[in-house]
Amino acid sequence: MTSGHVLVAAARKGPYWQTALTLAVLAAAGWLAGRHWPVLETGARRLAVADQGWLLAGAAAACATWPCAALAQQGSVLRPLPAGRLVAAQFAASAANQVLPAGLGAGAVTLRFLMRCGLPAGRAATAVGVKATAGGVARAALVAVLAAACPGLPRIPHDGHAGTAGACAALGACLLAAGLLRPRCRRIVAGVTADIRAVHALPRRAAALWGGSAAFAALHACVLIAVTRAVALPLPAARVALLYLAASGAAALLPTPGGLGPLDAALAFALAATTGAPASAAASAVLGYRLLTVWLPLLPGLLVLGVLVRRGTL
């Protein structure tokens, strides 16, 4: 079995446990939202009177994320893809990602699009893996650069014994998973590694892969920066970007649609706890970010998804 077929098989089996975990996380998020409803309500009122110019800037940055995602996806394959349909597929994939857990929606749409473009199932699956790998590495690089630029960022106090125990438990779980999935992981990693090497043999493809991946993460941070300006939250842009990238990376560990719940809580907590921002201001910034990146594009994205399916593009 090739690495691509392993990825396809894993995608078919994954939704069962991921859906159960998603429901549990969403239930917890709903409970937290109910408990802190006054803060959310105050944040929504603050967002309603926010600076419209900054909100438009944030909306422009959000729209630019889809061409960047398309650029990164083009960089993950050797053959040229139809540019217009690729951007439309990425827009539709972002909408599908809001209704299925842990990136399954976006992965399924992109996989189907690449197969419709003539790539074999295995090659299409590894292309999705190459893009995801590049995105993770680019995000980590941005975090490292911004952390160096924000040396005075306050640290959140924590219990050293609890942190050590948690780290040991996480390490044990990772080692157990590695032992159980070692043959499958080897095949997947081998396939992705081979495709990365092939892509880097073409400088234009490598530039598209890494440039698109870095720009995608940076533009999402720019959306949050614009919203903090719109709600008069006086925070340095580099600090807001660092908090967003760190919070979104942590939230990705929980498989909810579009990071709904974990990302919102992590962002609000990071803005309020590490910068001293009022809770209502942090809530309004998170609500504005979600409005521009999720709720406003959701219906158009689902409509584009339906059109692409009807025309046979997916």
Side-chain angles (χ1 to χ4, degrees):
M1 182 181 291
T2 66
S3 60
H5 288 92
V6 171
L7 284 172
V8 174
R12 290 174 180 171
K13 295 178 181 178
Y16 297 104
W17 69 267
Q18 288 177 336
T19 300
L21 184 55
T22 294
L23 293 176
V25 172
L26 290 179
W31 177 79
L32 287 174
R35 184 178 180 182
H36 299 285
W37 182 253
V39 174
L40 294 176
E41 187 176 11
T42 303
R45 288 184 186 141
R46 186 168 181 167
L47 182 63
V49 295
D51 187 310
Q52 300 299 311
W54 277 111
L55 289 180
L56 287 175
C63 292
T65 60
W66 303 310
C68 289
L71 181 65
Q73 193 64 71
Q74 174 61 86
S76 69
V77 297
L78 299 180
R79 71 167 61 187
L81 302 172
R85 284 184 287 166
L86 178 57
V87 173
Q90 293 302 306
F91 181 44
S94 68
N97 204 42
Q98 309 308 324
V99 296
L100 290 175
L104 290 177
V109 170
T110 303
L111 182 66
R112 185 67 177 170
F113 172 77
L114 294 175
M115 291 173 64
R116 287 288 190 179
C117 289
L119 274 72
R123 188 65 64 187
T126 51
V128 174
V130 167
K131 179 174 177 286
T133 301
V137 173
R139 186 179 296 269
L142 288 174
V143 168
V145 171
L146 290 170
C150 304
L153 188 67
R155 308 245 184 234
I156 301 172
H158 64 279
D159 183 345
H161 295 292
T164 302
C168 291
L171 178 60
C174 290
L175 291 175
L176 177 61
L180 294 175
L181 302 178
R182 189 175 180 183
R184 176 175 292 180
C185 289
R186 280 183 174 178
R187 290 192 292 268
I188 294 175
V189 171
V192 172
T193 302
D195 273 23
I196 289 177
R197 289 175 179 170
V199 164
H200 282 76
L202 299 176
R204 291 180 61 183
R205 288 289 185 266
L209 175 65
W210 293 107
S213 298
F216 178 82
L219 283 169
H220 269 279
C222 287
V223 175
L224 183 60
I225 292 169
V227 174
T228 60
R229 297 291 191 273
V231 298
L233 195 57
L235 297 173
R239 179 168 294 189
V240 175
L242 176 58
L243 291 176
Y244 164 75
L245 292 169
S248 60
L253 299 176
L254 292 175
T256 60
L260 182 63
L263 177 57
D264 306 291
L267 275 179
F269 178 76
L271 289 172
T274 64
T275 64
S280 60
S284 63
V286 175
L287 289 172
Y289 170 78
R290 280 301 193 183
L291 179 69
L292 296 179
T293 59
V294 176
W295 304 119
L296 289 180
L298 182 58
L299 181 57
L302 292 176
L303 291 175
V304 170
L305 177 60
V307 170
L308 293 176
V309 171
R310 186 171 183 178
R311 291 183 177 179
T313 305
L314 295 177

